[in-house]
Amino acid sequence: MIANELQRRVTQTAIREFEEALARLDADAGDRPEWVRTGLRAGMESQLADLHQELADYEALRSGRVRVLELDSLVQLPEALIRARIAAGLSQKELARRLGLKEQQVQRYEARRYAGASLERIQAVADALGVEIHERVLLPGAAGSAPDPEAGS
């Protein structure tokens, strides 16, 4: 996931380099067997598609085209907060200022996906971003019917 302008620029550069490498692939790998060139092309095209998707996701957030993020669990909340910051048009520095923190702290939070951040801190981030969270807690149907995380699927 692209989380800031620096990563956006790095991604754009990577896209350009992949596109140039793809254009040169037959010439650069002309001495290799066809199945090798086919594999190389497929891998590069797959990586290029991923980079284009990440850039499109970032641009959609920045442009305001994304208004709602659906989450399946709390595990996805940290990434949603990062996306919310991007959608709000805030840099990490600007979010840090709103929270009364140093920019480096927000960078660490986001790099570690808010691991180690308290629930209060996460709520403060959501409040600073103006994020509304409409959560539901689904209770187990009957005693003993809660899934056992140790049992696997």
Side-chain angles (χ1 to χ4, degrees):
M1 179 177 85
I2 298 172
N4 56 49
E5 285 298 307
L6 174 61
Q7 291 176 353
R8 181 187 61 78
R9 289 191 301 272
V10 168
T11 301
Q12 287 177 319
T13 299
I15 287 171
R16 186 177 58 255
E17 290 173 354
F18 266 102
E19 289 172 340
E20 292 170 0
L22 271 169
R24 296 188 320 264
L25 180 64
D26 287 332
D28 290 350
D31 60 335
R32 296 187 179 174
E34 179 60 30
W35 65 270
V36 171
R37 288 194 309 268
T38 300
L40 285 170
R41 182 175 305 285
M44 293 169 75
E45 287 174 344
S46 174
Q47 184 66 36
L48 188 56
D50 289 347
L51 292 171
H52 276 293
Q53 186 61 53
E54 287 184 27
L55 188 58
D57 290 348
Y58 183 79
E59 297 294 340
L61 288 168
R62 293 284 298 172
S63 70
R65 293 191 311 264
V66 177
R67 305 295 308 153
V68 176
L69 299 172
E70 299 285 339
L71 306 183
D72 295 324
S73 78
L74 286 175
V75 172
Q76 298 169 320
L77 183 57
E79 192 162 308
L81 290 175
I82 297 168
R83 290 177 187 270
R85 178 187 54 75
I86 295 167
L90 294 177
S91 66
Q92 292 169 325
K93 184 176 186 175
E94 291 164 331
L95 175 59
R97 186 187 52 75
R98 286 185 180 191
L99 293 166
L101 300 172
K102 293 183 177 179
E103 178 182 9
Q104 293 81 6
Q105 182 62 51
V106 171
Q107 290 171 341
R108 277 192 296 273
Y109 280 148
E110 291 190 359
R112 298 174 52 210
R113 299 300 190 253
Y114 288 92
S118 68
L119 186 57
E120 290 80 15
R121 175 62 69 197
I122 291 171
Q123 183 64 55
V125 170
D127 292 343
L129 293 170
V131 171
E132 292 181 34
I133 300 173
H134 299 272
E135 67 282 347
R136 294 186 324 167
V137 176
L138 302 178
L139 302 175
S145 65
D148 181 357
E150 300 296 321
S153 54

